[in-house]
Amino acid sequence: MTAALVAGLLAGYGIAMPVGAIATYLVALTARTSLKLGASAALGVATADGLYALIATLGGSALTPLIDPITVPLKWASVLVLLALATRGATKAITQHRRSQSSATSATTPPSPPRAYFALLAMTMLNPTTIIYFTALVLASQDATTPTHLEQSAFVLAAFAASTSWQLALATSGALLGRLLTTPTARLLTALLSSTLITALALHLLLTTL
């Protein structure tokens, strides 16, 4: 139970922490509108992360009887996927930082809180990296013992809680600090921190495989 909670928290923070286009939009939206609207948008992002964690968990559990014979190769493949995601995130962040690229949002009429929620939910759901990330983690953790429903629920809820706390922190930062977190340096640091966390998860899975 505790292991599932910790795994879910680490997974949730690992996918939520990079300050990319969606996070930049979230902070900027809150900075120019209100914390209430920003919080609604933040919950949209966290909901998408939670849904993908649920989908990956249910799919991984259903595949357990089929993947038992190839558990070790799958763990190795999952480790490689996680390392690739971490490398891609860090490389992209460094490249964008060197080119001094930053996302800009147009001055449009701010949406209502419900519209902000569903807009950010849809934007995040369209990101294929999220489902790849959670699926790799879930499949890598599969072994001969099928996780209990309680452990599955703990993982999903912890991932959702981690993502929610980070997205709300971004929204709050937007309300308090304006666009400070969307500067090139801040985006680079958060992306590198996320890549480090994902790499740590991959190394942990690698050690359990050896």
Side-chain angles (χ1 to χ4, degrees):
M1 179 66 175
T2 301
L5 285 172
V6 173
L9 289 173
L10 291 176
Y13 282 121
I15 196 63
M17 287 180 71
V19 180
I22 293 178
T24 300
Y25 175 79
L26 172 60
V27 175
L29 176 66
T30 309
R32 71 172 189 267
T33 56
S34 67
L35 180 58
K36 178 181 178 180
L37 194 145
S40 298
L43 289 176
V45 178
T47 299
D49 288 342
L51 287 174
Y52 270 143
L54 176 62
I55 292 171
T57 301
L58 293 178
S61 298
L63 291 174
T64 299
L66 301 177
I67 66 175
D68 277 344
I70 54 172
T71 296
V72 173
L74 273 178
K75 285 190 175 184
W76 278 98
S78 297
V79 168
L80 293 177
V81 169
L82 290 174
L83 289 176
L85 288 175
T87 302
R88 178 178 177 273
T91 302
K92 183 178 179 181
I94 293 173
T95 300
Q96 289 181 339
H97 182 70
R98 287 177 176 173
R99 295 177 179 175
S100 298
Q101 293 180 342
S102 60
S103 300
T105 54
S106 58
T108 58
T109 302
S112 64
R115 289 188 62 184
Y117 171 85
F118 286 109
L120 269 294
L121 171 63
M123 289 170 62
T124 309
M125 290 294 288
L126 291 175
N127 182 9
T129 301
T130 308
I131 187 61
I132 294 174
Y133 171 79
F134 279 118
T135 301
L137 281 180
V138 171
L139 289 179
S141 64
Q142 296 293 327
D143 52 29
T145 304
T146 302
T148 65
H149 291 304
L150 184 60
E151 291 173 332
Q152 292 175 337
S153 299
F155 176 85
V156 174
L157 290 176
F160 172 73
S163 179
T164 298
S165 65
W166 181 257
Q167 305 304 334
L168 289 176
L170 287 179
T172 302
S173 298
L176 297 177
L177 306 175
R179 294 176 174 78
L180 179 61
L181 287 183
T182 63
T183 62
T185 299
R187 295 179 66 186
L188 174 64
L189 291 177
T190 54
L192 292 178
L193 182 59
S194 174
S195 294
T196 300
L197 179 56
I198 294 175
T199 301
L201 288 170
L203 293 178
H204 173 71
L205 293 174
L206 179 61
L207 291 176
T208 62
T209 303
L210 297 177

